[in-house]
Amino acid sequence: MGNCFSGGGHSQFAVGGTSSAHDTRGSNDAVDGFLKSRGYHGLFSQIELSLSASDLRDRDVLSKSDPMAIVYTKGKDGSLQELGRTEVVLNSLNPKWITKIKITYYFEMVQTLLFRVYDVDTQFHSPDIKTLKLDDQQYLGEATCALSQIVANSKRACTLELVSIAGSAESTHKKLGQLTIHAEEEVVSKTTAELILKCTDLENKDFFSKSDPFLVISKYTESGTTVPICRTEVLKNNLKPTWKPIFLNISQVGSKDSPLVIECFNFNGNGKHDLLGRVQKSLADLEKLSSNGIGEKLFLPVTVGKDSQTKVLKSQLFVEKFCESVHHSFLDYLSGGSSNGNPRLPDSLHYIDHSGRPNAYQKAIQEVGDVLQYYDYDKLFPSWGFGARPIDGPVNHCFNLNGSSANPTVSGIPGIMMAYESALSNVSLAGPTLFGPVIIAAANIASQSMAANEHKYFVLLIITDGVITDIQETKDALVKASNLPLSILIVGVGGADFKEMEILDADKGEKLESSTGQFASRDIVQFVPFRDVQGGGISVVQSLLAELPSQFLTYMRNNGIQPTPPPTTTTL
């Protein structure tokens, strides 16, 4: 990952920078590394929340309220964790707070936020708002929403009605005001520079062969020291090397005008690499070298007596290619014979417990749906069943779950749940387990949308307990679907052997191959056995959705699809 460099014992491969033009990592490498070191590999973005309020209640006698807002995250158990506090705005019922509240946004989690507004008494006014005791302040109201509701909105904003805590003095008032939240990604450049660098006339440092050169690019810190941010691969026996392209994000280097130190070394296996020369140039300087087609001579620092001097070398650095591209983030796109047994018996995976306890199928639908529903604006979901025999009919491997002969669409997650429960009463479960027909049905919808140039992206959730029996037909369908705006999530429930499912999930680097010898253009499948995450620290939905943003971005970037600009507001 970026900003990663090992010292004497490092390998001969390229390190650091942005790995490619299609890099899909988060923009903050430090946070990225911290989270990944703790086992988190999903999409995360650093978000800043800006808060404002209107029509707050006036709790002061001789002046207006002095409001302050506090933001909490709310756990599933109702516990609250404070994220941050705004400053106190004096004498205002319509405050616009300057202090931003920072939060890490996780695509695959429902992050519930609680906002509370207080009127801070004058005697407690202090620059250090963290020391304020909230019990001493006057409560003005609160609001709650999911972070997904804010970032999925085309304007990336949400206005909420303030309400009161049950039983508080404000409960008799119908209007407590409104709170508006705006979400923005932390200011990070989306521009990445691609460079191809080469050197000429390098000094030969080896006795029996030529030098083995590589480049190290470093940036200056505020203290004046340098830290490496990128290293090229080592090229063996080459005094005129041209290295593979490197990609540097503008934010990674500071700015386009920030000075960079580019050093050329001769690789030695013992880690004591010979410095062959260096130059100091900014990205803007390197762009000029490229456009003018000229080189820059390397120099070596030398000591003459007590003086430090530089020795200009014959060796030169050339920039064979310099180009910039904008890499949009995920949030940019948002702004725009059954093994189940008898479902009527408690030992069935499909058993509907009348106490309200969900079965594995219901839990998977609810958990995944809770996250994805925020990104579907009409909340209409095509829903199918497979591996069942309707009354007096043959086994069907793709039937409308709602019982309709024409339209498989249901409304919202409750609609899916109702259709699922209804279907269990009207079909008898049967094998074998065939995925092909359902995948083809979803692919047809994605294909039609693609042909209409709608720039939509589709997600198919498959919940199954059976061992797949049409593995080659499924591979053929997946290879064909890999070119479509479609991702497929598979949850395996029960105790079956799911080894073939893992073949479909190409996480180990092996691309799926069809019966005609074609390979999938990208990985579109994520498989999670329900039993592997039951009772663990990570939920089914987190495991299942971790790769979805990267699959989405890969499709959009491969097809040159730009985010739709957010709507503009015209004030008359």
Side-chain angles (χ1 to χ4, degrees):
M1 59 176 288
N3 297 337
C4 179
F5 180 81
S6 54
H10 64 249
S11 70
Q12 301 181 43
F13 301 105
V15 177
T18 301
S19 59
S20 73
H22 300 296
D23 185 73
T24 57
R25 297 169 302 146
S27 58
N28 189 320
D29 281 344
V31 176
D32 186 331
F34 176 81
L35 294 173
K36 285 188 175 180
S37 70
R38 283 151 178 78
Y40 184 79
H41 298 277
L43 176 138
F44 38 86
S45 299
Q46 302 309 305
I47 301 295
E48 290 183 335
L49 301 178
S50 301
L51 307 179
S52 63
S54 59
D55 300 321
L56 295 178
R57 284 192 47 77
D58 192 356
R59 299 300 304 271
D60 292 348
V61 178
L62 301 178
S63 63
K64 297 178 181 178
S65 294
D66 304 327
M68 174 187 73
I70 304 179
V71 183
Y72 303 87
T73 57
K74 190 173 184 179
K76 290 184 178 180
D77 60 356
S79 61
L80 299 180
Q81 179 178 352
E82 183 175 323
L83 283 177
R85 305 182 178 190
T86 67
E87 77 280 8
V88 176
V89 177
L90 298 179
N91 299 319
S92 178
L93 303 182
N94 301 285
K96 293 183 178 180
W97 291 283
I98 295 175
T99 302
K100 305 293 188 293
I101 307 299
K102 296 186 178 183
I103 181 174
T104 302
Y105 159 70
Y106 304 91
F107 165 75
E108 62 269 38
M109 294 173 60
V110 176
Q111 296 168 268
T112 303
L113 302 179
L114 174 66
F115 306 87
R116 284 181 176 164
V117 182
Y118 290 86
D119 173 24
V120 179
D121 288 345
T122 304
Q123 62 176 317
F124 295 106
H125 287 183
S126 166
D128 187 8
I129 50 89
K130 294 181 180 179
T131 63
L132 285 177
K133 295 183 178 180
L134 300 180
D135 291 341
D136 295 331
Q137 316 310 319
Q138 292 181 304
Y139 171 82
L140 296 180
E142 66 183 48
T144 186
C145 73
L147 180 58
S148 306
Q149 289 177 255
I150 306 172
V151 300
N153 185 283
S154 60
K155 296 181 180 179
R156 213 169 288 173
C158 183
T159 298
L160 306 170
E161 295 289 337
L162 289 173
V163 298
S164 61
I165 298 176
S168 67
E170 286 75 17
S171 61
T172 58
H173 300 290
K174 294 182 179 180
K175 298 290 185 180
L176 299 181
Q178 294 181 318
L179 182 73
T180 298
I181 309 103
H182 290 267
E184 294 180 297
E185 285 187 274
E186 284 195 86
V187 180
V188 173
S189 175
K190 293 181 172 62
T191 302
T192 295
E194 177 185 354
L195 300 92
I196 296 180
L197 303 176
K198 80 170 186 178
C199 284
T200 59
D201 299 312
L202 292 177
E203 183 182 358
N204 188 11
K205 289 285 187 177
D206 293 344
F207 291 107
F208 302 107
S209 61
K210 298 178 181 178
S211 294
D212 306 325
F214 65 94
L215 296 178
V216 174
I217 301 178
S218 303
K219 69 175 181 180
Y220 285 95
T221 64
E222 292 182 0
S223 64
T225 59
T226 59
V227 292
I229 58 174
C230 181
R231 177 172 66 82
T232 68
E233 74 279 11
V234 175
L235 296 180
K236 293 283 189 177
N237 302 318
N238 199 329
L239 302 182
K240 297 181 179 181
T242 299
W243 289 275
K244 293 179 180 179
I246 59 174
F247 300 86
L248 296 175
N249 185 274
I250 300 299
S251 296
Q252 186 182 12
V253 302
S255 74
K256 199 169 178 180
D257 295 316
S258 299
L260 298 173
V261 177
I262 304 174
E263 298 173 297
C264 186
F265 290 92
N266 172 45
F267 179 85
N268 287 311
N270 60 9
K272 297 179 180 180
H273 311 302
D274 307 305
L275 179 61
L276 300 179
R278 65 166 58 133
V279 296
Q280 179 171 301
K281 293 291 178 183
S282 66
L283 284 178
D285 295 331
L286 295 174
E287 184 177 23
K288 291 178 182 178
L289 290 179
S290 176
S291 60
N292 295 330
I294 59 175
E296 180 73 18
K297 288 191 175 181
L298 305 183
F299 65 86
L300 281 174
V302 294
T303 301
V304 179
K306 296 182 178 180
D307 299 328
S308 297
Q309 300 180 4
T310 58
K311 176 183 177 182
V312 179
L313 306 174
K314 183 180 178 182
S315 309
Q316 292 190 79
L317 173 75
F318 289 84
V319 183
E320 291 283 276
K321 178 181 180 180
F322 185 102
C323 66
E324 295 179 359
S325 59
V326 175
H327 296 163
H328 295 288
S329 70
F330 183 71
L331 293 187
D332 289 330
Y333 286 94
L334 288 184
S335 312
S338 173
S339 54
N340 283 293
N342 187 336
R344 295 165 182 81
L345 299 178
D347 61 352
S348 169
L349 294 170
H350 281 295
Y351 178 67
I352 303 298
D353 191 333
H354 296 292
S355 69
R357 181 181 179 182
N359 64 33
Y361 289 82
Q362 291 172 310
K363 187 173 182 179
I365 293 171
Q366 189 68 58
E367 286 198 20
V368 176
D370 280 346
V371 173
L372 294 183
Q373 65 178 334
Y374 293 112
Y375 308 96
D376 189 299
Y377 292 102
D378 62 11
K379 305 293 188 293
L380 298 177
F381 304 109
S383 302
W384 301 285
F386 61 95
R389 179 183 290 106
I391 297 175
D392 298 328
V395 175
N396 196 328
H397 296 289
C398 185
F399 59 90
N400 296 341
L401 206 60
N402 61 5
S404 169
S405 60
N407 186 3
T409 300
V410 298
S411 179
I413 305 306
I416 299 177
M417 291 295 206
M418 290 177 61
Y420 167 67
E421 291 188 37
S422 177
L424 289 178
S425 302
N426 294 291
V427 301
S428 57
L429 306 178
T433 301
L434 305 182
F435 281 4
V438 172
I439 294 174
I440 291 172
N444 286 338
I445 294 176
S447 180
Q448 292 169 11
S449 174
M450 184 180 180
N453 201 32
E454 292 178 334
H455 292 174
K456 294 181 179 180
Y457 198 85
F458 299 85
V459 178
L460 172 64
L461 171 64
I462 298 177
I463 308 171
T464 180
D465 82 312
V467 178
I468 185 171
T469 53
D470 63 338
I471 184 67
Q472 190 56 59
E473 291 80 359
T474 298
K475 286 183 178 180
D476 291 345
L478 290 175
V479 169
K480 188 175 181 179
S482 66
N483 295 310
L484 298 173
L486 176 66
S487 285
I488 299 173
L489 311 176
I490 305 175
V491 176
V493 296
D497 183 353
F498 292 121
K499 288 183 180 179
E500 290 182 327
M501 299 291 186
E502 295 171 355
I503 295 174
L504 303 180
D505 186 349
D507 281 347
K508 296 182 180 180
E510 296 182 5
K511 289 187 176 182
L512 289 179
E513 183 178 3
S514 72
S515 56
T516 59
Q518 291 181 306
F519 287 93
S521 61
R522 61 190 181 96
D523 177 20
I524 65 171
V525 177
Q526 177 71 356
F527 169 70
V528 173
F530 195 76
R531 59 176 180 250
D532 287 0
V533 292
Q534 283 274 62
I538 186 169
S539 71
V540 173
V541 67
Q542 287 177 260
S543 301
L544 196 63
L545 298 179
E547 294 182 10
L548 182 55
S550 294
Q551 293 177 3
F552 169 87
L553 286 172
T554 299
Y555 173 82
M556 292 297 179
R557 291 169 177 171
N558 287 351
N559 289 274
I561 300 174
Q562 302 295 315
T564 302
T568 56
T569 302
T570 302
T571 303
L572 299 178

